[in-house]
């Protein structure tokens, strides 16, 4: 299933250059520009508070957005830079690049775990420890997966799930070459306590000293 692309609402901005950008900021806006795809750049602006909320939510630069500007056709974009005030650390300008459906981009894709009711480790009281709730993948802009799926059926306590254990959506590849860990199935605390107690109670076997020959 393709991932739903979130909307990002902007306004058309009249004029370009430093003067027009300063005027936009005085009006409580953050000026920006959209470029790429062999088309002319378009000047836009955003409501300051709404944009700041999205920036602080995280993953802004790695999210594919559906840019909506009244009177213009929606376009898929990805942020390519956010300029900030060096003192206040607040956005002062933002750049976006248009993408075609065939463009390749890096995005963080959510990890979903299925068949937890068929997982022996969890049935025995084990815990699913998620190391990476999202995985950065290179995907096609026109076919972004909703998630990657990890099947827990048959998984035992102590097992570790790596990216190589997962069947990725068609056309998606990990950005990192390393075979990183996505999750592991940890033993329940009661089992760990029992094993620790057994080790503590195990008698120590000492080697008998040989008697010296007369």
């Amino acid at each position: 299933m393709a991932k739903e692309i979130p909307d990002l609402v902007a306004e058309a901005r009249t004029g370009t250059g430093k003067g027009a950008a300063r005027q936009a900021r005085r009006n409580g806006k953050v000026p920006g520009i959209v470029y790429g795809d062999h088309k002319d750049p378009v000047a836009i602006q955003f409501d300051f508070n709404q944009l700041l909320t999205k920036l602080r939510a995280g993953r802004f630069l790695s999210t594919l957005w559906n840019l909506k500007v009244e009177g213009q056709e929606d376009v898929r974009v990805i942020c390519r830079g956010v300029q900030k005030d060096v003192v206040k650390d607040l956005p002062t300008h933002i750049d976006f690049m248009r993408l075609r459906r065939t463009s390749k981009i890096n995005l963080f894709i959510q990890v979903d775990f299925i068949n937890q009711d068929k997982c022996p480790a969890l049935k025995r009281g084990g815990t699913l420890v998620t190391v990476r709730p999202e995985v950065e993948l290179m995907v096609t802009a026109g076919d972004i997966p909703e998630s990657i799926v990890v099947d827990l059926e048959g998984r035992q306590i102590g097992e570790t799930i790596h990216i190589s254990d997962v069947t990725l959506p068609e056309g998606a590849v990990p950005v990192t070459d390393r075979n990183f860990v996505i999750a592991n199935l940890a033993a329940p605390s009661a089992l760990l306590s029992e094993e620790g107690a057994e080790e503590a109670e195990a008698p120590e076997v000492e080697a008998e000293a040989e008697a010296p020959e007369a």
Side-chain angles (χ1 to χ4, degrees):
M1 182 184 295
K3 183 177 183 180
E4 183 178 354
I5 301 174
D7 289 336
L8 186 64
V9 180
E11 304 169 6
R13 177 165 57 95
T14 57
T16 58
K18 294 183 179 179
R22 283 196 293 267
Q23 182 60 48
R25 287 190 281 269
R26 283 195 291 268
N27 293 336
K29 308 292 184 180
V30 178
I33 194 85
V34 182
Y35 61 88
D37 197 19
H38 307 290
K39 298 177 182 178
D40 293 335
V42 174
I44 56 175
Q45 61 187 16
F46 297 87
D47 177 85
F48 177 85
N49 291 325
Q50 292 180 11
L51 180 63
L52 187 61
T53 298
K54 290 186 179 296
L55 286 170
R56 288 178 172 173
R59 304 295 191 207
F60 190 90
L61 272 70
S62 60
T63 298
L64 180 67
W65 300 98
N66 181 48
L67 183 66
K68 302 178 74 69
V69 180
E70 186 176 356
Q72 300 181 19
E73 184 178 352
D74 291 2
V75 60
R76 294 182 179 187
V77 298
I78 191 167
C79 182
R80 280 296 181 241
V82 180
Q83 299 175 28
K84 295 184 178 182
D85 184 282
V86 294
V87 177
K88 299 179 181 179
D89 194 37
L90 296 174
T92 58
H93 193 278
I94 189 163
D95 296 344
F96 289 92
M97 184 174 71
R98 301 184 188 95
L99 292 174
R100 298 180 180 180
R101 292 184 62 85
T102 56
S103 299
K104 295 289 187 179
I105 54 173
N106 294 352
L107 294 177
F108 283 89
I109 305 300
Q110 175 183 319
V111 178
D112 286 341
F113 297 91
I114 63 171
N115 288 328
Q116 299 193 30
D117 58 330
K118 299 178 182 179
C119 177
L122 299 182
K123 287 183 176 180
R124 293 181 59 194
T127 302
L128 175 65
V129 180
T130 304
V131 178
R132 293 187 183 233
E134 295 179 315
V135 173
E136 189 176 15
L137 301 176
M138 179 180 288
V139 298
T140 304
D143 192 23
I144 299 173
E146 181 70 31
S147 64
I148 65 171
V149 178
V150 176
D151 192 346
L152 297 178
E153 183 175 356
R155 296 282 183 178
Q156 303 290 337
I157 286 176
E159 283 195 41
T160 299
I161 303 169
H162 295 82
I163 186 64
S164 61
D165 300 321
V166 180
T167 300
L168 297 177
E170 185 176 356
V173 295
V175 173
T176 304
D177 292 335
R178 180 170 49 86
N179 189 24
F180 53 83
V181 174
I182 293 179
N184 58 67
L185 291 155
S189 55
L191 180 59
L192 292 175
S193 299
E194 290 176 5
E195 291 177 351
E198 289 176 0
E199 291 179 1
E201 293 174 1
E204 294 184 1
V205 178
E206 296 182 357
E208 294 184 359
E210 294 184 0
E213 294 183 359

PDB file of all heavy atoms in Angstrom, residues 14-28:
ATOM      1  N   THR A  14       4.396  37.419  -3.719  1.00  0.00           N
ATOM      2  CA  THR A  14       4.677  38.379  -4.793  1.00  0.00           C
ATOM      3  C   THR A  14       6.051  38.992  -4.568  1.00  0.00           C
ATOM      4  O   THR A  14       6.402  39.373  -3.455  1.00  0.00           O
ATOM      5  CB  THR A  14       3.627  39.495  -4.824  1.00  0.00           C
ATOM      6  OG1 THR A  14       3.591  40.136  -3.540  1.00  0.00           O
ATOM      7  CG2 THR A  14       2.259  38.931  -5.152  1.00  0.00           C
ATOM      8  N   GLY A  15       6.823  39.057  -5.630  1.00  0.00           N
ATOM      9  CA  GLY A  15       8.142  39.671  -5.533  1.00  0.00           C
ATOM     10  C   GLY A  15       9.191  38.696  -5.047  1.00  0.00           C
ATOM     11  O   GLY A  15       8.892  37.721  -4.349  1.00  0.00           O
ATOM     12  N   THR A  16      10.411  38.936  -5.427  1.00  0.00           N
ATOM     13  CA  THR A  16      11.546  38.130  -4.987  1.00  0.00           C
ATOM     14  C   THR A  16      12.653  39.047  -4.499  1.00  0.00           C
ATOM     15  O   THR A  16      12.547  40.272  -4.595  1.00  0.00           O
ATOM     16  CB  THR A  16      12.069  37.255  -6.149  1.00  0.00           C
ATOM     17  OG1 THR A  16      12.446  38.100  -7.253  1.00  0.00           O
ATOM     18  CG2 THR A  16      11.014  36.259  -6.611  1.00  0.00           C
ATOM     19  N   GLY A  17      13.692  38.440  -3.966  1.00  0.00           N
ATOM     20  CA  GLY A  17      14.799  39.245  -3.462  1.00  0.00           C
ATOM     21  C   GLY A  17      14.696  39.487  -1.972  1.00  0.00           C
ATOM     22  O   GLY A  17      13.713  39.122  -1.321  1.00  0.00           O
ATOM     23  N   LYS A  18      15.726  40.132  -1.436  1.00  0.00           N
ATOM     24  CA  LYS A  18      15.815  40.346   0.009  1.00  0.00           C
ATOM     25  C   LYS A  18      14.707  41.250   0.533  1.00  0.00           C
ATOM     26  O   LYS A  18      14.183  41.043   1.625  1.00  0.00           O
ATOM     27  CB  LYS A  18      17.177  40.920   0.363  1.00  0.00           C
ATOM     28  CG  LYS A  18      18.342  39.962   0.108  1.00  0.00           C
ATOM     29  CD  LYS A  18      19.660  40.565   0.544  1.00  0.00           C
ATOM     30  CE  LYS A  18      20.811  39.590   0.321  1.00  0.00           C
ATOM     31  NZ  LYS A  18      22.123  40.170   0.726  1.00  0.00           N
ATOM     32  N   GLY A  19      14.341  42.260  -0.251  1.00  0.00           N
ATOM     33  CA  GLY A  19      13.306  43.185   0.201  1.00  0.00           C
ATOM     34  C   GLY A  19      11.969  42.495   0.376  1.00  0.00           C
ATOM     35  O   GLY A  19      11.287  42.673   1.392  1.00  0.00           O
ATOM     36  N   ALA A  20      11.590  41.678  -0.600  1.00  0.00           N
ATOM     37  CA  ALA A  20      10.316  40.962  -0.526  1.00  0.00           C
ATOM     38  C   ALA A  20      10.333  39.941   0.604  1.00  0.00           C
ATOM     39  O   ALA A  20       9.325  39.729   1.286  1.00  0.00           O
ATOM     40  CB  ALA A  20      10.033  40.276  -1.859  1.00  0.00           C
ATOM     41  N   ALA A  21      11.490  39.298   0.828  1.00  0.00           N
ATOM     42  CA  ALA A  21      11.602  38.316   1.909  1.00  0.00           C
ATOM     43  C   ALA A  21      11.470  38.985   3.269  1.00  0.00           C
ATOM     44  O   ALA A  21      10.804  38.453   4.168  1.00  0.00           O
ATOM     45  CB  ALA A  21      12.939  37.591   1.809  1.00  0.00           C
ATOM     46  N   ARG A  22      12.091  40.147   3.421  1.00  0.00           N
ATOM     47  CA  ARG A  22      11.984  40.872   4.695  1.00  0.00           C
ATOM     48  C   ARG A  22      10.543  41.292   4.964  1.00  0.00           C
ATOM     49  O   ARG A  22      10.065  41.227   6.095  1.00  0.00           O
ATOM     50  CB  ARG A  22      12.911  42.092   4.692  1.00  0.00           C
ATOM     51  CG  ARG A  22      14.377  41.762   4.920  1.00  0.00           C
ATOM     52  CD  ARG A  22      15.156  43.014   5.279  1.00  0.00           C
ATOM     53  NE  ARG A  22      15.208  43.937   4.148  1.00  0.00           N
ATOM     54  CZ  ARG A  22      16.199  43.978   3.249  1.00  0.00           C
ATOM     55  NH1 ARG A  22      17.213  43.131   3.352  1.00  0.00           N
ATOM     56  NH2 ARG A  22      16.175  44.850   2.259  1.00  0.00           N
ATOM     57  N   GLN A  23       9.826  41.707   3.908  1.00  0.00           N
ATOM     58  CA  GLN A  23       8.441  42.119   4.074  1.00  0.00           C
ATOM     59  C   GLN A  23       7.584  40.935   4.505  1.00  0.00           C
ATOM     60  O   GLN A  23       6.712  41.065   5.366  1.00  0.00           O
ATOM     61  CB  GLN A  23       7.899  42.695   2.749  1.00  0.00           C
ATOM     62  CG  GLN A  23       6.463  43.190   2.828  1.00  0.00           C
ATOM     63  CD  GLN A  23       6.284  44.309   3.847  1.00  0.00           C
ATOM     64  OE1 GLN A  23       7.052  45.282   3.866  1.00  0.00           O
ATOM     65  NE2 GLN A  23       5.290  44.166   4.720  1.00  0.00           N
ATOM     66  N   ALA A  24       7.853  39.771   3.925  1.00  0.00           N
ATOM     67  CA  ALA A  24       7.108  38.571   4.310  1.00  0.00           C
ATOM     68  C   ALA A  24       7.322  38.260   5.776  1.00  0.00           C
ATOM     69  O   ALA A  24       6.371  37.929   6.508  1.00  0.00           O
ATOM     70  CB  ALA A  24       7.546  37.394   3.443  1.00  0.00           C
ATOM     71  N   ARG A  25       8.559  38.377   6.247  1.00  0.00           N
ATOM     72  CA  ARG A  25       8.850  38.091   7.666  1.00  0.00           C
ATOM     73  C   ARG A  25       8.179  39.109   8.575  1.00  0.00           C
ATOM     74  O   ARG A  25       7.731  38.756   9.679  1.00  0.00           O
ATOM     75  CB  ARG A  25      10.363  38.046   7.877  1.00  0.00           C
ATOM     76  CG  ARG A  25      11.020  36.783   7.307  1.00  0.00           C
ATOM     77  CD  ARG A  25      12.456  36.645   7.732  1.00  0.00           C
ATOM     78  NE  ARG A  25      13.338  37.494   6.957  1.00  0.00           N
ATOM     79  CZ  ARG A  25      13.961  37.133   5.828  1.00  0.00           C
ATOM     80  NH1 ARG A  25      13.782  35.904   5.352  1.00  0.00           N
ATOM     81  NH2 ARG A  25      14.754  37.958   5.189  1.00  0.00           N
ATOM     82  N   ARG A  26       8.105  40.356   8.143  1.00  0.00           N
ATOM     83  CA  ARG A  26       7.412  41.367   8.958  1.00  0.00           C
ATOM     84  C   ARG A  26       5.921  41.054   9.070  1.00  0.00           C
ATOM     85  O   ARG A  26       5.274  41.424  10.045  1.00  0.00           O
ATOM     86  CB  ARG A  26       7.615  42.762   8.349  1.00  0.00           C
ATOM     87  CG  ARG A  26       8.987  43.371   8.619  1.00  0.00           C
ATOM     88  CD  ARG A  26       8.986  44.857   8.314  1.00  0.00           C
ATOM     89  NE  ARG A  26       8.868  45.116   6.877  1.00  0.00           N
ATOM     90  CZ  ARG A  26       9.896  45.262   6.044  1.00  0.00           C
ATOM     91  NH1 ARG A  26      11.144  45.152   6.508  1.00  0.00           N
ATOM     92  NH2 ARG A  26       9.702  45.515   4.767  1.00  0.00           N
ATOM     93  N   ASN A  27       5.402  40.340   8.089  1.00  0.00           N
ATOM     94  CA  ASN A  27       3.979  39.978   8.094  1.00  0.00           C
ATOM     95  C   ASN A  27       3.726  38.642   8.791  1.00  0.00           C
ATOM     96  O   ASN A  27       2.621  38.086   8.681  1.00  0.00           O
ATOM     97  CB  ASN A  27       3.458  39.910   6.659  1.00  0.00           C
ATOM     98  CG  ASN A  27       3.446  41.264   5.977  1.00  0.00           C
ATOM     99  OD1 ASN A  27       3.388  42.306   6.641  1.00  0.00           O
ATOM    100  ND2 ASN A  27       3.509  41.264   4.641  1.00  0.00           N
ATOM    101  N   GLY A  28       4.731  38.134   9.478  1.00  0.00           N
ATOM    102  CA  GLY A  28       4.559  36.876  10.203  1.00  0.00           C
ATOM    103  C   GLY A  28       4.643  35.651   9.319  1.00  0.00           C
ATOM    104  O   GLY A  28       4.103  34.592   9.666  1.00  0.00           O
TER     105      GLY A  28
END
